[in-house]
Amino acid sequence: MKFRRAIVVLMSARGQTVKDITTLMPVGEDYVRDVIHAFNEQRFGALDPNGAGRPKTISDKVREHICLIARTSPAGWKITTTWKASTDPDFIAKMHRVLTLYDTPPTDGRVICVDEFGPLNLMPRKGEAWGPVRRPRRLRTMYNRYGGVRHMLAALDLATGKLYYRIRPRKRWREFLGLLKALRARRPREKQYVVLDNFSPHKHAKSTRRSALGRPTTTSSWSSCRPTAPG
């Protein structure tokens, strides 16, 4: 914009008429006259189209920041997450019980956090790798679940930071009980404080009885798993 206005002024200073200027440049006669009149009144300040009229509402620094955001890929920004509030009337009390275990681990046992994840689809997933600049490999969008789906049952030992997990075709009370037995087999004589959610397999009668849980587990609650004999 500034360059075009400067050319109009320069051509007028060299004796070109308004009609000659519009013939050589893709502008109208009114535009040429406005530029020449503005230059006669404001001199070189008229070459800046933003010099007149309403002042800037944002600074150049803010403008550069906005342009940087517009050029940034969304992949580099935060990803939207989901959340869900508990409907348990005793949620606050149970939450404090769990946080107390985290802040002050019991001296007579070990805190174990157990949860499930799944279903996991056995499917090809895209990735990144070093390679020549050419057309990348393509993966089919459609696939067949010949192997079905899988579920992960995992237990986090807060004392050591180690994660123990099992991959199973389902996540019923039987698989949950099997995970607890495996945890008990690792430390048969040590008391375990198991933190669980209100997933129905956690509250199954056979799970609580065979694991010697002190009480059925509920949302954001915990149960003490007493030492028991193997099997």
Side-chain angles (χ1 to χ4, degrees):
M1 182 67 71
K2 184 184 295 186
F3 181 70
R4 184 171 59 184
R5 296 169 72 91
I7 293 178
V8 170
V9 172
L10 180 61
M11 294 178 67
S12 177
R14 291 184 176 181
Q16 299 287 343
T17 65
V18 174
K19 186 174 182 179
D20 293 337
I21 296 175
T22 56
T23 302
L24 299 175
M25 296 182 63
V27 294
E29 294 184 3
D30 292 340
Y31 175 83
V32 174
R33 292 190 181 95
D34 291 343
V35 172
I36 295 175
H37 292 163
F39 182 80
N40 293 334
E41 296 175 359
Q42 305 176 23
R43 309 307 295 172
F44 288 101
L47 298 182
D48 188 359
N50 298 323
R54 189 178 64 179
K56 295 181 178 180
T57 57
I58 60 174
S59 63
D60 293 338
K61 184 177 181 180
V62 174
R63 181 179 181 276
E64 293 178 1
H65 185 66
I66 294 175
C67 294
L68 177 63
I69 294 175
R71 293 192 297 266
T72 302
S73 172
W77 291 74
K78 293 184 177 179
I79 301 176
T80 303
T81 59
T82 59
W83 65 279
K84 180 173 62 175
S86 175
T87 58
D88 190 342
D90 299 326
F91 171 76
I92 299 299
K94 296 174 181 178
M95 179 187 68
H96 285 300
R97 292 171 61 197
V98 173
L99 294 179
T100 301
L101 285 176
Y102 293 164
D103 296 336
T104 310
T107 58
D108 61 341
R110 186 178 297 266
V111 180
I112 306 293
C113 297
V114 176
D115 200 1
E116 293 82 8
F117 178 71
L120 301 171
N121 291 322
L122 303 180
M123 59 179 290
R125 300 184 183 275
K126 63 180 182 179
E128 298 178 357
W130 291 103
V133 180
R134 59 173 181 262
R135 185 175 180 180
R137 290 184 55 194
R138 292 181 173 270
L139 298 176
R140 289 181 59 86
T141 303
M142 305 302 295
Y143 62 96
N144 297 317
R145 291 189 177 94
Y146 295 117
V149 297
R150 293 293 184 271
H151 300 266
M152 174 186 288
L153 293 87
L156 176 64
D157 188 338
L158 296 187
T160 62
K162 292 184 178 181
L163 181 68
Y164 305 98
Y165 67 92
R166 287 183 168 189
I167 303 296
R168 295 292 184 266
R170 301 182 66 177
K171 51 181 180 181
R172 303 164 301 178
W173 69 267
R174 296 178 179 85
E175 288 77 17
F176 170 65
L177 180 58
L179 176 65
L180 292 183
K181 288 182 177 180
L183 295 174
R184 170 57 59 215
R186 289 179 176 272
R187 295 178 176 86
R189 300 303 176 187
E190 186 177 23
K191 188 176 182 180
Q192 296 182 358
Y193 293 81
V194 184
V195 180
L196 306 166
D197 58 17
N198 64 343
F199 187 37
S200 58
H202 300 164
K203 299 183 290 184
H204 195 278
K206 293 185 178 180
S207 296
T208 56
R209 183 171 62 254
R210 292 292 300 275
S211 302
L213 294 175
R215 63 183 65 83
T217 179
T218 52
T219 304
S220 297
S221 183
W222 60 272
S223 299
S224 60
C225 186
R226 303 185 182 90
T228 56

